[in-house]
Amino acid sequence: MTKPALVDRLEAFLDVLKYERNLSVKTQENYRRQILAIMDNIDIEDWSVLSITHVHKVLSEGRKKNLSARSIALRLSALRTFCDYLVSQNVLLSNPAKAVQSPKLGKPLPKNLNVDEINQLLNVEPESVLAIRDRAMMELTYGCGLRLAELAALDIQDIQTAGQVKVLGKGSKERIIPVGKMALAWINKWLQVRNQLAPPAEENALFVSKHKRRISHRQIAKRMSLWAGKQALAQKVNPHKLRHSYATHMLESSGDLRAVQELLGHANLSTTQVYTHLDFQHLAKVYDTAHPRARKK
């Protein structure tokens, strides 16, 4: 049975995530789900007695349930963040989860589409309103490296006349991204026929569905997968794969890790580093060339 004292602390933590850290609803729910699962695995009345032993038990229970290493690591990460909050509230003197090592994870990256495959995918004929919309969505996703949520959240006014798009990324951080000529051309084609699905006065979303409202994340992914089949691609396609392809192609062409970080909206450079296929030697070369303290005198 769930202990009220444990639940009260969890709800207070979730309020911090919502109102102070401004995290997405999805992220808040992920934390809630992980902490509730942890509460089911430990027998305590109050968070103040949480110890390293309890943390180890959480991990061992995850292994007994055949959770993947990644799922166990995610649970431990959620617990660490929650414990940091408990320390800030003087409930715990120190964070016991920080003393426990996460399971070792491989870093499998989705195979990006090469340029020929991108061209094959995007060679969509404007035979219908939906085909024009879908090509515009795919051109914009690949052309700007957008996340799925960023693409779905775009409003008409976010496409700026200077050939830029205003994007609201993770943590409600806004960034301006240049839009390539091809993506811009297809957005303009889409805007010319968009009224057939939903007049702007009724719905402000840039991309809308047949139901005259903002297209959902699920529907976007479904349409991209559909076009991968229609265009006879050998691998599956989703918004993340287009974003990954954008990052890989941009970094391979420019070697400018910092610029690609800004374009992708990554808070940390290490995230961009993992996101690409470049090896360490290449990154080290970029660093040695660019960093003032790395240059040899």
Side-chain angles (χ1 to χ4, degrees):
M1 184 177 177
T2 304
K3 309 293 193 304
L6 302 186
V7 175
D8 288 346
R9 286 291 182 186
L10 171 58
E11 293 300 329
F13 168 66
L14 293 172
D15 283 344
V16 170
L17 298 185
K18 180 178 180 179
Y19 297 110
E20 295 183 21
R21 295 182 57 183
N22 198 28
L23 297 185
S24 68
V25 173
K26 182 178 179 181
T27 301
Q28 294 171 46
E29 287 304 313
N30 284 338
Y31 273 108
R32 180 191 296 275
R33 185 167 55 253
Q34 294 298 336
I35 303 303
L36 286 175
I38 289 167
M39 288 163 56
D40 287 339
N41 292 332
I42 55 178
D43 186 20
I44 59 174
E45 296 290 335
D46 192 271
W47 290 112
S48 61
V49 299
L50 188 71
S51 67
I52 295 177
T53 301
H54 294 117
V55 179
H56 280 296
K57 184 178 180 182
V58 169
L59 268 63
S60 64
E61 288 296 323
R63 295 188 187 98
K64 287 180 183 177
K65 294 177 180 177
N66 294 319
L67 295 183
S68 67
R70 190 167 298 278
S71 295
I72 295 173
L74 178 64
R75 185 157 297 177
L76 179 59
S77 176
L79 182 57
R80 283 174 179 159
T81 303
F82 180 54
C83 287
D84 278 340
Y85 163 76
L86 295 178
V87 170
S88 73
Q89 298 299 304
N90 298 316
V91 176
L92 290 172
L93 294 177
S94 61
N95 187 336
K98 285 186 176 179
V100 178
Q101 189 173 3
S102 296
K104 289 187 177 180
L105 302 177
K107 293 182 179 179
L109 290 170
K111 184 179 182 298
N112 65 286
L113 300 172
N114 60 41
V115 175
D116 288 339
E117 289 172 322
I118 288 290
N119 290 336
Q120 182 179 340
L121 172 67
L122 297 181
N123 188 26
V124 174
E125 295 296 331
E127 56 190 17
S128 68
V129 174
L130 293 184
I132 295 172
R133 180 203 64 189
D134 293 349
R135 178 157 180 181
M137 289 195 303
M138 292 189 292
E139 289 279 4
L140 190 59
T141 303
Y142 172 68
C144 298
L146 300 182
R147 298 179 176 96
L148 171 58
E150 293 170 347
L151 178 70
L154 287 175
D155 290 330
I156 295 174
Q157 63 268 24
D158 291 330
I159 302 298
Q160 303 179 349
T161 54
Q164 299 173 323
V165 59
K166 183 174 68 174
V167 175
L168 192 63
K170 284 187 176 180
S172 296
K173 292 181 180 178
E174 188 178 285
R175 69 186 190 279
I176 305 295
I177 308 173
V179 182
K181 290 182 180 179
M182 188 67 76
L184 201 57
W186 278 92
I187 289 171
N188 288 332
K189 288 180 182 180
W190 159 241
L191 290 176
Q192 291 171 15
V193 299
R194 181 187 176 281
N195 281 1
Q196 295 181 35
L197 292 184
E202 297 177 11
E203 174 56 68
N204 197 37
L206 176 61
F207 294 112
V208 293
S209 70
K210 291 186 293 185
H211 300 292
K212 297 186 177 183
R213 57 175 179 262
R214 187 181 302 274
I215 191 169
S216 68
H217 294 194
R218 183 177 180 181
Q219 193 65 17
I220 291 173
K222 184 178 179 181
R223 295 296 296 182
M224 290 188 184
S225 177
L226 177 69
W227 281 110
K230 283 187 174 183
Q231 302 299 84
L233 261 70
Q235 57 175 306
K236 295 180 180 180
V237 172
N238 54 51
H240 181 69
K241 184 164 289 188
L242 292 182
R243 174 174 160 86
H244 178 70
S245 301
Y246 165 89
T248 303
H249 297 164
M250 287 289 291
L251 200 46
E252 285 177 347
S253 298
S254 68
D256 194 334
L257 194 64
R258 184 68 179 82
V260 175
Q261 176 197 1
E262 289 293 325
L263 290 168
L264 291 171
H266 285 158
N268 299 311
L269 196 62
S270 58
T271 308
T272 314
Q273 207 170 309
V274 171
Y275 213 94
T276 69
H277 294 291
L278 296 185
D279 58 25
F280 179 78
Q281 284 73 23
H282 180 87
L283 296 177
K285 183 178 178 181
V286 171
Y287 175 84
D288 290 340
T289 303
H291 198 287
R293 290 285 190 177
R295 295 170 189 161
K296 295 180 180 178
K297 295 182 179 180

